[in-house]
Coordinates of all heavy atoms in Angstrom, one line a residue:
M368 N -23.1 12.1 6.3 CA -22.3 12.7 5.2 C -23.2 12.8 3.9 O -24.1 12.1 3.8 CB -21.1 12.0 4.9 CG -20.0 12.1 5.9 SD -18.5 11.3 5.4 CE -17.6 11.4 7.0
C369 N -22.8 13.8 3.1 CA -23.5 13.9 1.8 C -22.5 13.8 0.7 O -22.4 12.8 0.0 CB -24.3 15.2 1.8 SG -25.4 15.4 0.4
C370 N -21.7 14.9 0.4 CA -20.8 14.8 -0.7 C -19.6 14.0 -0.4 O -19.0 13.4 -1.3 CB -20.3 16.3 -1.0 SG -19.2 17.0 0.1
G371 N -19.1 13.9 0.9 CA -17.9 13.1 1.2 C -16.6 13.7 0.9 O -15.6 13.1 1.2
V372 N -16.6 14.9 0.3 CA -15.3 15.5 -0.2 C -15.1 16.9 0.2 O -14.3 17.7 -0.4 CB -15.1 15.3 -1.7 CG1 -15.0 13.9 -2.1 CG2 -16.3 16.0 -2.5
G373 N -15.8 17.4 1.2 CA -15.6 18.7 1.8 C -16.4 19.8 1.1 O -16.1 21.0 1.4
A374 N -17.3 19.6 0.3 CA -18.0 20.6 -0.5 C -19.3 21.1 0.1 O -19.7 22.2 -0.2 CB -18.2 20.1 -1.9
C375 N -20.0 20.3 0.9 CA -21.4 20.6 1.3 C -21.6 21.0 2.8 O -22.6 21.5 3.1 CB -22.3 19.5 1.0 SG -22.1 18.1 2.1
F376 N -20.6 20.8 3.6 CA -20.7 21.1 5.1 C -21.8 20.3 5.8 O -22.3 20.8 6.8 CB -20.8 22.6 5.3 CG -19.6 23.3 5.0 CD1 -19.2 23.6 3.7 CD2 -18.7 23.7 6.0 CE1 -18.0 24.2 3.4 CE2 -17.5 24.4 5.7 CZ -17.2 24.6 4.4
A377 N -22.2 19.2 5.3 CA -23.3 18.4 5.9 C -22.7 17.6 7.2 O -23.5 17.2 8.0 CB -23.9 17.4 5.0
C378 N -21.4 17.5 7.2 CA -20.8 16.6 8.2 C -20.1 17.3 9.3 O -19.2 16.7 9.9 CB -19.9 15.7 7.4 SG -18.5 16.6 6.7
R395 N -15.1 19.9 9.0 CA -15.7 18.9 8.2 C -15.1 17.5 8.4 O -13.9 17.3 8.2 CB -15.6 19.2 6.7 CG -16.4 20.5 6.3 CD -15.9 21.1 5.0 NE -14.6 21.6 5.2 CZ -13.8 22.2 4.3 NH1 -14.3 22.3 3.1 NH2 -12.6 22.6 4.6
C397 N -15.5 14.8 6.9 CA -15.2 14.0 5.7 C -13.8 14.4 5.2 O -13.1 13.5 4.7 CB -16.2 14.1 4.6 SG -16.3 15.8 3.9
Ligands
LIG794 FE1 -20.0 17.3 2.3 FE2 -18.5 16.6 4.4 S1 -20.1 15.5 3.5 S2 -18.6 18.5 3.4

Side-chain angles (χ1 to χ4, degrees):
M368 288 184 190
C369 189
C370 73
V372 291
C375 72
F376 288 78
C378 63
R395 292 158 292 179
C397 69

